[in-house]
Amino acid sequence: MIFNFILIESSLLKSSELEYEIYIKQNDFYLYGIIDKLILDGSTAYIIDYKTDSLKKYSATEKLENYKYQHMFYAFLVSKMNAKIEKIICQLVFIESPDENTLLEIDTEKLKSFESKMLAGINLMRKGEYNKNKFHCKSCYFSDVKNNCIV
């Protein structure tokens, strides 16, 4: 799968950016992200995120679940930067195991849902309200052997 994606990527080199920084004004604050590699091709954007994670304990698909919101955030930034973008394809590439990569396709409906959840989360943080997300406990450094949060 990565072989096919690299072929697409190399044919679009003129429109690719490495370490692409995006600042977006949202309401009364700014959102900021650095995308490892961004490729724009008409109405499609490709976001490539290189990871140094080991895949010995968790599969690439399980790791994608941990990075899903980071990808959604990047996709949101890219969509705000370029209104022509209709589809965003995110790819995790693991440096240690480059053949074990994952893809996540994000459309405008997913972005709308993410935006409302993100803004709600930001509003809670601004009020000083923080909720634990226990979904990540099994892969968190701050969990015990039974995957219970110790913090």
Side-chain angles (χ1 to χ4, degrees):
M1 174 124 7
I2 190 170
F3 180 72
N4 292 335
F5 197 72
I6 288 173
L7 288 176
I8 293 169
E9 186 179 326
S10 65
S11 69
L12 299 171
L13 281 177
K14 62 184 177 198
S15 64
S16 74
E17 298 284 341
L18 294 173
E19 296 292 319
Y20 191 76
E21 294 185 52
I22 302 177
Y23 293 90
I24 299 291
K25 186 170 186 343
Q26 180 79 32
N27 302 334
D28 64 336
F29 54 89
Y30 287 88
L31 300 172
Y32 170 71
I34 302 174
I35 298 171
D36 290 344
K37 185 163 194 162
L38 174 64
I39 301 169
L40 299 175
D41 181 25
S43 64
T44 303
Y46 299 90
I47 295 172
I48 302 169
D49 194 19
Y50 298 101
K51 296 295 182 191
T52 57
D53 299 33
S54 171
L55 296 178
K56 291 177 181 154
K57 188 173 180 182
Y58 299 103
S59 71
T61 304
E62 289 172 310
K63 289 286 188 174
L64 175 63
E65 200 55 39
N66 287 339
Y67 291 112
K68 181 171 65 176
Y69 293 108
Q70 178 185 4
H71 281 256
M72 293 297 295
F73 181 70
Y74 288 163
F76 176 77
L77 293 177
V78 169
S79 72
K80 290 295 185 184
M81 174 192 81
N82 186 337
K84 294 179 185 176
I85 299 296
E86 297 172 5
K87 179 171 72 170
I88 299 172
I89 299 172
C90 299
Q91 180 181 25
L92 280 179
V93 176
F94 297 93
I95 303 301
E96 184 180 281
S97 308
D99 291 335
E100 295 290 327
N101 62 82
T102 59
L103 294 176
L104 175 65
E105 191 170 320
I106 302 169
D107 59 23
T108 53
E109 289 303 311
K110 287 181 184 174
L111 287 175
K112 286 178 189 174
S113 173
F114 173 78
E115 180 178 14
S116 65
K117 290 176 186 174
M118 177 186 67
L119 294 176
I122 289 170
N123 288 332
L124 286 173
M125 286 188 284
R126 290 177 124 188
K127 292 177 187 176
E129 297 177 29
Y130 302 94
N131 298 317
K132 287 184 183 178
N133 178 358
K134 295 188 178 185
F135 175 78
H136 296 288
C137 287
K138 70 177 185 169
S139 59
C140 179
Y141 294 113
F142 301 106
S143 62
D144 63 17
V145 293
K146 294 181 181 178
N147 298 326
N148 295 313
C149 184
I150 61 171
V151 177

